[in-house]
Amino acid sequence: MDAKSKWSGLNADRLDRITDHLERNYIAPGKIPGCQVAVMRRGQLAYARSFGLRDRERGTAWSDDTIVRIYSMTKPIVSVALMTLFEQGRFKLDDPVHRFAPEWKKHRVWVSGEGADMVTEAPARPVSFRDVLSHTGGLTYGSLLSQLSGLPIEHPVDKAYDAVGVRRGEETLDEFMAKLAEVPLRYQPGERWQYSLATDVCGALVERVSGVPLDQYLREAVFEPLGMVDTAFHVPADKAHRFAANYMRMPDKSLRLADDPQKSPYLKDPVFKSGGGGLAGTMADYLRFTEMLRRGGELDGRRILGPRTLELMTKNHLKGGADLTKMAIGSFSETDNAGIGFGLGFAMTIDQVATGGLSSADYYWGGAASTIFWADPKEELSVVFLTQLMPSATFDFRGQLKTLIYSAIED
């Protein structure tokens, strides 16, 4: 090994199998136009590579500063932002959301039926901050689930979301919160786990607790301290030339352009700032965020969170310490379920044998366009993978990269 590899404890030849794997299995056969990978260990950049094209239609290469839609990788950022307010003593985890959103006092819980015949009951307790941070509050993704998964809207609660117009579109966060107050909870708070609009609620709570707009709070509390210069809810005109195209894999395995970077809605500042999926950014930015997490909340002398806060966030908050196989409703999310717990903004490995993987202490999340990241304090690893392919369940990039990377560790 060379000096750098000795310092990182990673076998450089083994790590370079990432290059062959991605080029041979994905880039050459055209399964994805392009992608980008970065691996850090012990604060050292051990592997960084960009592959293929960021815009197939225009033949533009994927450069290291390419801007991508990170979709649900927005969630960990917004969860961290909300927890900075927790550290300021603004709320406790088990405080009810209705402390800052009084309209939520009228929530009911679905029991049976639908529409005019729906039967509901009172919640055993109010939805709490802990619930929305961990997707255990009884919220769902409503009709958005159908758009992202291609599955029909079947559950009465999801249909209720559609009926009141929960869209994450041309509405303010206050209007969004008011609409959610009108729909029943899918289950009693804390009793199950369902991937949902909960982190959009976290974004609204950032605004209500802090008293400043979500984008401003993210910029001041996270982006500027970490030097995340390209992460925002829209791509400004002077950076649009770096914006990647987004593709959808069709049933015949072909790729269809899903969002043209020259015509994208991301080119305009949106009315609705989605804390659950609205950000775009670069590899350099998200790698700094991931490394801050891995280091216990600090990077380059700038502390975002205290280490004990981050330790709390990355514990399993599911009832009874169960994994997602026992708690999850539905199969739509950005993680497998076996051996996986969920904390305050992150999924994490709680049973390595059950996952069948090489990592035992990582926490992570992904996005709808197949982006992924994870931090592993035990192995001192920070990893980010970016591409633009929907849906995210098409290929197991996370599992494949974990095997390639962890098998390269030699100490």
Side-chain angles (χ1 to χ4, degrees), residues 105-392:
K105 289 182 179 180
K106 59 185 177 182
H107 261 141
R108 302 282 293 177
V109 180
W110 176 83
V111 175
S112 63
E114 65 178 273
D117 298 323
M118 184 180 290
V119 178
T120 64
E121 64 183 7
R125 63 166 176 78
V127 179
S128 68
F129 278 74
R130 186 196 305 267
D131 292 327
V132 293
L133 281 160
S134 61
H135 295 280
T136 58
L139 301 175
T140 82
Y141 252 123
S143 61
L144 185 62
L145 171 61
S146 178
Q147 299 170 30
L148 293 175
S149 69
L151 300 173
I153 303 173
E154 294 182 348
H155 198 276
V157 172
D158 293 325
K159 293 178 181 178
Y161 278 66
D162 201 43
V164 301
V166 177
R167 294 282 189 274
R168 295 200 310 180
E170 295 300 312
E171 60 190 358
T172 66
L173 284 172
D174 285 342
E175 291 167 339
F176 169 77
M177 291 290 282
K179 289 179 180 179
L180 286 183
E182 299 295 326
V183 297
L185 303 175
R186 174 68 173 80
Y187 52 86
Q188 287 286 349
E191 294 300 313
R192 301 297 297 272
W193 183 93
Q194 186 169 15
Y195 197 40
S196 68
L197 294 167
T199 317
D200 287 296
V201 174
C202 291
L205 289 172
V206 167
E207 286 200 347
R208 295 197 180 190
V209 176
S210 70
V212 300
L214 175 60
D215 54 343
Q216 178 183 336
Y217 193 84
L218 292 180
R219 184 172 63 252
E220 294 173 354
V222 181
F223 301 154
E224 289 179 352
L226 290 179
M228 297 172 66
V229 297
D230 289 319
T231 303
F233 285 106
H234 78 289
V235 180
D238 63 342
K239 298 180 181 180
H241 64 285
R242 293 195 275 133
F243 193 31
N246 193 16
Y247 297 90
M248 177 71 71
R249 183 174 167 95
M250 306 306 290
D252 65 358
K253 300 184 180 181
S254 65
L255 297 182
R256 176 178 62 82
L257 182 64
D259 187 25
D260 187 328
Q262 294 188 4
K263 302 175 183 178
S264 174
Y266 277 84
L267 299 177
K268 297 181 180 179
D269 190 17
V271 173
F272 184 83
K273 305 295 194 294
S274 173
L279 290 173
T282 59
M283 170 63 77
D285 280 6
Y286 214 93
L287 191 59
R288 289 187 66 78
F289 177 75
T290 305
E291 183 67 358
M292 175 275 294
L293 296 175
R294 198 274 303 174
R295 288 168 55 96
E298 174 273 335
L299 184 66
D300 294 342
R302 302 299 299 270
R303 181 160 293 284
I304 307 302
L305 286 175
R308 286 166 181 78
T309 303
L310 197 54
E311 182 180 357
L312 174 64
M313 293 179 72
T314 55
K315 290 181 181 294
N316 182 21
H317 285 249
L318 300 181
K319 185 177 181 180
D323 74 358
L324 287 174
T325 61
K326 298 178 178 66
M327 292 290 290
I329 295 176
S331 59
F332 173 69
S333 79
E334 294 295 339
T335 182
D336 295 327
N337 289 345
I340 301 299
F342 204 89
L344 307 179
F346 312 95
M348 72 285 300
T349 300
I350 61 173
D351 186 337
Q352 182 182 1
V353 174
T355 65
L358 297 179
S359 56
S360 62
D362 61 303
Y363 55 93
Y364 62 90
W365 204 239
S370 302
T371 59
I372 59 175
F373 89 97
W374 74 86
D376 187 334
K378 178 181 177 182
E379 295 291 358
E380 302 176 275
L381 272 172
S382 296
V383 180
V384 181
F385 171 82
L386 301 179
T387 189
Q388 296 285 264
L389 176 73
M390 300 179 75
S392 59

